[in-house]
Amino acid sequence: MNAAAGKATLSEPSAFPWEMVMHVGLCVLRLDPKHFWALTPREFAAMSGAFRPTAVQIGRDDLNALMALYPDQSGGLDG
């Protein structure tokens, strides 16, 4: 079935990554199994770094503005 034929396409949901979650909780964080299994998903996400700040990325417009403010100087390493 496809959307062009007027039929909605549904993809299968991906399986929960139990092996990875258990590895992080039990091996990386070294949690006791009793404490690991008592965690809520939100608590585990916080402990495993899911809520860490993301790096700010500069866009092309900002880069161009900085280059206009601070042009390359001659007399550097190659001249």
Side-chain angles (χ1 to χ4, degrees), residues 58-71:
I58 187 169
R60 174 52 77 177
D61 292 337
D62 294 328
L63 178 60
N64 288 336
L66 285 171
M67 290 170 55
L69 285 172
Y70 306 101

Side-chain angles (χ1 to χ4, degrees), residues 34-52:
K34 177 182 172 185
H35 294 117
F36 171 76
W37 291 111
L39 290 173
T40 65
R42 187 174 299 261
E43 290 170 330
F44 179 78
M47 292 177 76
S48 61
F51 302 134
R52 69 182 177 273

Side-chain angles (χ1 to χ4, degrees), residues 5-75:
K7 305 280 184 178
T9 58
L10 298 175
S11 61
E12 290 292 322
S14 58
F16 187 79
W18 281 110
E19 288 182 19
M20 181 176 62
V21 170
M22 289 172 52
H23 174 75
V24 170
L26 301 173
C27 300
V28 176
L29 297 174
R30 299 177 61 114
L31 295 170
D32 181 83
K34 177 182 172 185
H35 294 117
F36 171 76
W37 291 111
L39 290 173
T40 65
R42 187 174 299 261
E43 290 170 330
F44 179 78
M47 292 177 76
S48 61
F51 302 134
R52 69 182 177 273
T54 57
V56 177
Q57 296 183 0
I58 187 169
R60 174 52 77 177
D61 292 337
D62 294 328
L63 178 60
N64 288 336
L66 285 171
M67 290 170 55
L69 285 172
Y70 306 101
D72 290 340
Q73 302 289 323
S74 61

